[in-house]
Amino acid sequence: MIDVELPPGPPASALARGFAACLASVTEVAVTDLPAPGEDLAHALGAWRGWLAGHGSGLVPIADPVRFQWPGWWIAVVEQEDGGTGGGAGGGAAAVLAFGTPPGVVLSPQTPALLGRATADLRIREAHAVASLDPVPRRGPVAEVLRGTVEGLAVAPAAEAPMRLLDVAHARAGRGLDGDRYAVGAGTFSPRAGRRPGYDLTLVAAEVLDELAAAGVPLDLAGTRRNVLTRGIDVNALVGRRFRVGEVLCEGRRLCEPCVHLDRLSGPGTLRPLIHRGGLRADVLTDGEIRVGAPVVAE
């Protein structure tokens, strides 16, 4: 996403202009490259759907946005708590961009005070998901050899409990790290009905935390709520690949995207800068030991 400010225009069109700014942020285009929003959001949505279709994406209405859970982009129209001055047909409403599971507001061009708020705490009039029209997974070219090292290890005994740093961790196939809440099915997002892939182990790159610190957003391994801190390896490139962490064989399942829950535990402002950089969810395939300094190598 990119930062897009509310484009200029009459007060009556504030809601449509706010929605346009959110859509431009997701698609990473200049807001002037979108079809002009006008003053009527309903008509603008039709024009934007056509524009998105020409770029392989769509804008899908969300039936129950209050309970909507999807680790992707969606745009909500919310009631402004102070009554707002949305103007026109959207008077008192603002468009916000949401992300994460559970979701939080990552862009609010009309009302910056909503930034970082959990969507569950907002009064949502309507919402639309921005999604690809082509669901077919595409295999990329064979990746180069990936290699890095373990720079940190952490576990938490229960959901929302403080993370404890380790020098050595013991991994169990199909479970995770001894002493960690996900190894015993007690994590905040642990599956409640049977085992599902991607909940054994989480990794995050030290380089990402370095970049955040340089940008004035200090965050350490404990603050990320991840298990393994790596350096020198692109953890995003491990999705769909087998790799070893020390003597433990793992398989990358999907990105470990941030959510508003992380904002609550580690402080506001951590959700947005970790989008697509929040690390990796992996399965543990073999028992073994992981030490700080151990190699991380893709097979």
Side-chain angles (χ1 to χ4, degrees), residues 173-192:
R175 292 176 54 194
L177 300 184
D178 283 352
D180 190 61
R181 71 278 196 205
Y182 283 96
V184 293
T188 301
F189 303 108
S190 290
R192 303 308 178 198

Side-chain angles (χ1 to χ4, degrees), residues 19-290:
F19 200 108
C22 292
L23 185 57
S25 176
V26 172
T27 54
E28 298 192 358
V29 302
V31 70
T32 52
D33 289 342
L34 297 177
E39 296 185 6
D40 188 333
L41 180 60
H43 284 87
L45 289 173
W48 291 329
R49 286 193 180 97
W51 180 85
L52 283 167
H55 293 77
S57 296
L59 200 58
V60 185
I62 299 170
D64 188 358
V66 174
R67 293 189 292 179
F68 186 60
Q69 297 287 315
W70 184 56
W73 305 107
W74 55 288
I75 303 173
V77 176
V78 304
E79 298 283 356
Q80 298 194 66
E81 295 175 351
D82 61 357
T85 55
V96 299
L97 180 61
F99 187 91
T101 306
V105 175
V106 296
L107 183 70
S108 181
Q110 289 172 257
T111 312
L114 295 177
L115 192 65
R117 292 282 299 275
T119 58
D121 298 335
L122 302 177
R123 292 175 295 176
I124 303 177
R125 286 189 185 181
E126 61 179 288
H128 304 264
V130 183
S132 170
L133 297 179
D134 184 1
V136 179
R138 306 293 179 184
R139 289 192 177 275
V142 177
E144 72 281 6
V145 174
L146 299 174
R147 180 183 295 272
T149 58
V150 175
E151 193 164 284
L153 295 165
V155 296
E160 301 189 12
M163 299 293 288
R164 181 166 61 94
L165 299 181
L166 306 173
D167 293 322
V168 183
H170 297 276
R172 309 295 178 185
R175 292 176 54 194
L177 300 184
D178 283 352
D180 190 61
R181 71 278 196 205
Y182 283 96
V184 293
T188 301
F189 303 108
S190 290
R192 303 308 178 198
R195 182 177 182 275
R196 289 165 52 195
Y199 287 88
D200 297 346
L201 191 72
T202 53
L203 300 85
V204 66
E207 291 85 352
V208 170
L209 304 191
D210 292 345
E211 290 179 18
L212 264 61
V217 186
L219 188 66
D220 58 12
L221 173 59
T224 68
R225 310 290 297 177
R226 309 303 189 238
N227 299 127
V228 181
L229 182 67
T230 69
R231 186 172 292 279
I233 190 168
D234 179 3
V235 296
N236 286 23
L238 295 175
V239 173
R241 296 187 67 174
R242 291 192 172 190
F243 59 96
R244 290 190 179 273
V245 184
E247 60 187 41
V248 179
L249 181 63
C250 303
E251 184 169 5
R253 286 296 185 176
R254 61 187 180 277
L255 297 186
C256 190
E257 294 287 15
C259 63
V260 75
H261 177 70
L262 185 62
D263 256 19
R264 291 194 183 110
L265 295 181
S266 299
T270 55
L271 169 56
R272 176 169 167 163
L274 285 178
I275 291 174
H276 303 331
R277 303 196 302 166
L280 175 76
R281 288 191 173 275
D283 290 342
V284 174
L285 304 182
T286 63
D287 294 353
E289 183 180 88
I290 302 173

